[in-house]
Amino acid sequence: MNEEIVSRIQAVIDYYNLTVSAFADRIGVQRSSISHLLSGRNKPSLDFVMKLAHAFPDVNLYWLLKGEGDFPSDPDAPALGPSKHLDVDTEPAKLIQTELPSPATRNIEMKKEPLKIVIFYADGTFESFHPKND
């Protein structure tokens, strides 16, 4: 049974086209623990399974633990990585390109006020914070 769970974990790694190191980083465990698990030295803990389920919500827990059900849930869906679960005031990240001021305008004092602070987490989620407008 342990070998079956390990093979399903390997299937998740393969499906998302991740290296073992990237997979470990994504779920928040030490890289060596993934190596030990895949080699059969260790068994996956409940904590490990819950971290995997949180980082990859598309993984069906019944499929992972017992081999029942499907993975991915929608076989026609592209493997784009984990879904984003955002709890705070969030919006899609955008690439912002700005031009540097010309040498003539660099000497003009510009008032710098933060518009937004964005924190990116290793699991692919982010939070944004807006300053209070008094």
Side-chain angles (χ1 to χ4, degrees):
M1 182 162 179
N2 185 38
E3 293 173 7
E4 295 170 1
I5 293 173
V6 170
S7 68
R8 289 190 286 273
I9 292 169
Q10 183 65 56
V12 172
I13 294 169
D14 295 342
Y15 178 78
Y16 289 104
N17 197 26
L18 296 171
T19 64
V20 172
S21 296
F23 178 74
D25 292 345
R26 177 90 45 100
I27 65 173
V29 300
Q30 292 182 354
R31 295 171 182 179
S32 61
S33 67
I34 302 295
S35 296
H36 294 302
L37 193 136
L38 293 176
S39 70
R41 177 178 171 186
N42 295 347
K43 295 179 181 180
S45 66
L46 177 59
D47 184 52
F48 175 87
V49 170
M50 296 309 296
K51 286 181 178 185
L52 189 152
H54 179 73
F56 299 95
D58 298 336
V59 174
N60 179 330
L61 279 177
Y62 285 111
W63 172 81
L64 180 64
L65 296 173
K66 299 179 76 178
E68 298 174 8
D70 296 321
F71 176 74
S73 302
D74 179 6
D76 297 328
L80 298 177
S83 302
K84 306 286 186 252
H85 291 281
L86 307 171
D87 301 332
V88 183
D89 175 28
T90 58
E91 53 192 48
K94 297 175 186 171
L95 177 63
I96 300 172
Q97 295 180 339
T98 58
E99 293 183 20
L100 294 174
S102 68
T105 59
R106 283 188 195 146
N107 295 331
I108 299 173
E109 189 174 324
M110 299 171 74
K111 184 176 180 184
K112 293 185 180 184
E113 293 183 18
L115 297 176
K116 182 186 338 182
I117 298 171
V118 181
I119 300 172
F120 294 92
Y121 297 99
D123 67 356
T125 61
F126 65 93
E127 296 178 277
S128 64
F129 301 92
H130 301 275
K132 292 181 181 178
N133 294 328
D134 295 320

